[in-house]
Amino acid sequence: MGGGRRTVTDPQTVTIVAHATPAGRAALALVRLSGPDSAAIAARIFARARGAPLVDGRPMLGTLLDRGGAPIDQAVLTLHRAPHTVTGEDVAEITLHGSPVIVRETLAACVLAGARPAAPGEFTLRALRAGKIDLAQAEAVRDLVEAATVEQARIAARQLGGEVSAAIAPLAEGIFELLADVEAGLDFSDGEEALALAGAEVAGRAERLAAQIDALAGASEPARRVREGARVVLLGPTNSGKSSIFNKLIGYGRVIVTPEPGTTRDLIEEQLVLEGLPIVLVDAAGVGEPGGQAEAEGMRRALAAAESAHLVLEVYDLSRPERPVGPPGAHRLRVGTHADLPPAGPPAQGTVAVSPLTGEGMTALRAVIAEQLHAPGARPLESVALATERHLAAALEARDALVAAAGQARAGEGAELLAIDLRRAVHALREILGEVGPEALLERIFARFCIGK
Ligand SMILES: Nc1nc2c(ncn2[C@@H]2O[C@H](COP(=O)(O)OP(=O)(O)O)[C@@H](O)[C@H]2O)c(=O)[nH]1
Ligand SMILES: [Mg+2]
């Protein structure tokens, strides 16, 4: 990593400080310093009883001093020495009483003593730079902090434990070996390309690696669903009660409900948690005869959303004669509304009858949705390696590059072309771990951290 990678970071000289606990009043707060001057700065703002010296690695009780050197709190200071710390640098942790005034004063005193306020995620970024964690683990820190359900926290914890690199590293290694074998065939002296290996063997190895990536992507699907949330789309004729179900499931009148057809046109998304599973619920325009351009576009979007959904709720009105046509599908659930009114005929096979108006059947509907979505996730979380969209996208790029390389090899192309594709594949996988990649990527990821992490 070059010197000019990120302007806010200069691990050799700058000591950063931040508040690691939330703003506001609490029993305790934590202020953390990282960098070469951590101990010196801490010594300036922290006095031990009877002038006892500061010792490393042991919590010490003492007096916290403000900018003018006057006591403002009784606090605990712990000094950790590089390199065996979270950031790989000297770290000082000050546990003080959780008063916003004292915290602010302590931060100011640290800055006056030579520290710089940390940028968002800068502690984690320093840990990454020091090789303490890889990028997937850094992201896991953020996910752990942001987890909204226990299941999401479990996935982040596994990612933090290094499961991503454990799964990705051998694949990257396999591609690298193939690349080395291919490049061994490059004759640099006269620029002539010849493959040391048979094209079919190279293609076979590339295809096996591509298949392994696909398998990993499949095995990570349950984790991805828990992390990103399952998409559930309400689909059905206009006025069937889709928006009424939507509002009832999320618990408040988010979308407009009227007796007029064509009220909903845009896709409307809200998040909810059903039995620990985060869900993105999508309300959409009614499908049928469009009344105008906006409705026609709404229908197109509704069908596209249903296409990519984990579960489609096929909504229809039990009090009207129309019934859903076609067989019920694996990712489709029929929901009959207006259960409070006399039915116009027998329900379609597999229907859950509800009335969002009276609330009838809504508890059963929640249970059936959760059951349907949990079914694929019911297999235990096999892998969390490609649980995030970023990891998945990079892995699929590697897969595509391998498939391309295999195609080239079978077509009898020379080593030079194959090497380009194989290098692209290695690069994509190493990007997941942050070993390579543009600075912009790191900045984008770390911009989403909170200060103090
Ligand atoms: N009686 C009764 N009316 C309902 C029920 N569900 C929806 N409605 C009414 O049917 C009309 C259309 O509902 P809406 O949710 O906007 O349907 P959408 O066009 O599919 O989104 C509104 O006037 C709702 O109040 C139900 O279960 N029973
Ligand atoms: Mg609607």
Side-chain angles (χ1 to χ4, degrees), residues 250-274:
I250 65 168
Y252 71 103
R254 167 71 177 81
V255 278
I256 300 170
V257 171
T258 73
E260 295 167 21
T263 311
T264 313
R265 281 161 181 191
D266 287 317
L267 294 181
I268 297 172
E269 301 187 356
E270 281 291 327
Q271 299 193 356
L272 70 148
V273 175
L274 276 188

Side-chain angles (χ1 to χ4, degrees), residues 168-179 205 209 426 429-430:
I168 296 297
L171 285 170
E173 189 55 39
I175 303 172
F176 205 75
E177 273 168 23
L178 183 56
L179 177 63
R205 279 168 68 181
L209 287 160
V426 174
L429 287 189
R430 293 179 65 197

Side-chain angles (χ1 to χ4, degrees), residues 194-231:
L195 271 180
L197 302 176
E201 191 199 331
V202 174
R205 279 168 68 181
E207 278 158 1
R208 273 194 298 283
L209 287 160
Q212 283 173 28
I213 294 175
D214 273 331
L216 197 58
S220 305
E221 162 65 19
R224 205 153 53 240
R225 194 176 284 199
V226 168
R227 191 185 172 279
E228 310 278 335
R231 285 179 73 80

Side-chain angles (χ1 to χ4, degrees), residues 354-443:
V354 301
S355 168
L357 213 64
T358 64
E360 175 185 343
M362 292 304 294
T363 306
L365 178 60
R366 283 170 193 276
V368 177
I369 293 173
E371 186 189 313
Q372 292 256 340
L373 290 176
H374 266 304
R379 42 184 168 125
L381 290 179
E382 293 168 48
S383 171
V384 303
L386 304 176
T388 78
E389 291 297 337
R390 186 183 82 79
H391 300 171
L392 182 65
L396 294 183
E397 190 187 329
R399 195 259 331 257
D400 290 348
L402 285 166
V403 170
Q408 306 264 31
R410 287 203 197 284
E413 290 291 351
E416 221 140 60
L417 277 179
L418 295 186
I420 291 172
D421 282 324
L422 292 175
R423 274 195 216 106
R424 183 157 70 89
V426 174
H427 194 274
L429 287 189
R430 293 179 65 197
E431 232 177 38
I432 294 176
L433 306 176
E435 293 171 357
V436 292
E439 189 61 18
L441 171 72
L442 289 186
E443 295 208 342

Side-chain angles (χ1 to χ4, degrees), residues 165-190:
S165 28
I168 296 297
L171 285 170
E173 189 55 39
I175 303 172
F176 205 75
E177 273 168 23
L178 183 56
L179 177 63
D181 288 349
V182 164
E183 283 186 333
L186 281 176
D187 185 347
F188 292 104
S189 54
D190 59 2

